Amino acid sequence: MAGSAWVIHDKAKKYIGNGVIDLDDDVLKARLYLSTSNVSTSSVDGIASATDQVSGNGYAEQTLTNVTWAESGGTVTLDCDAFTFVAAGGDITARYAVIYDDTADGKPVICHMLLDDTPANVTATDTNSITVTPPAGGIFQVS
């Protein structure tokens, strides 16, 4: 299974530029969404307007760890450690991963990705997990 590239949401670009989203200091979180979700449209603004979040069977959103927003050679990269969603008491199935800013007003969606670029749903059976590992070049870059 290979995930797609992360897609930056339209409003997130503006919010990063005007300081609403502070990628150096804000708490970033990740959620999983079903194939019927609207998160694949980059026009989704706040996380509250994202539809069809995964729920049940031990699913819990994840706080990103070791988040970096660093510049090197004129390119700024957002990166973090891999994050994992664990199924407990049944399966969890998802199509999309979403990163949002839990600190900023409105909790804006920053970006989303297809978990499997076929595209296909990804399922973690009971006691197993879905792990999202950022690509070697980071979640996204601005140059």
Side-chain angles (χ1 to χ4, degrees), residues 71-76 143:
E71 184 272 333
S72 176
T75 299
V76 185
S143 57

Side-chain angles (χ1 to χ4, degrees), residues 16-138:
I16 292 166
N18 68 16
V20 171
I21 295 175
D22 182 346
L23 295 173
D24 283 319
D25 296 318
D26 288 356
V27 174
L28 304 185
K29 292 191 176 184
R31 290 183 177 179
L32 296 178
Y33 286 84
L34 303 172
S35 62
T36 53
S37 177
N38 64 348
V39 297
S40 66
T41 62
S42 60
S43 61
V44 173
D45 188 3
I47 197 69
S49 62
T51 60
D52 299 331
Q53 180 182 349
V54 169
S55 64
N57 297 330
Y59 167 80
E61 69 181 14
Q62 299 298 305
T63 301
L64 303 188
T65 57
N66 293 319
V67 175
T68 58
W69 178 240
E71 184 272 333
S72 176
T75 299
V76 185
T77 303
L78 177 67
D79 204 3
C80 68
D81 289 344
F83 44 97
T84 301
F85 303 88
V86 180
D91 300 350
I92 56 174
T93 299
R95 175 76 54 100
Y96 302 100
V98 170
I99 294 174
Y100 74 98
D101 186 331
D102 193 46
T103 306
D105 288 343
K107 300 184 185 294
V109 173
I110 298 170
C111 55
H112 78 273
M113 69 167 299
L114 275 167
L115 294 169
D116 181 329
D117 66 1
T118 304
N121 289 335
V122 173
T123 299
T125 56
D126 189 16
T127 72
N128 290 298
S129 60
I130 296 172
T131 298
V132 178
T133 303

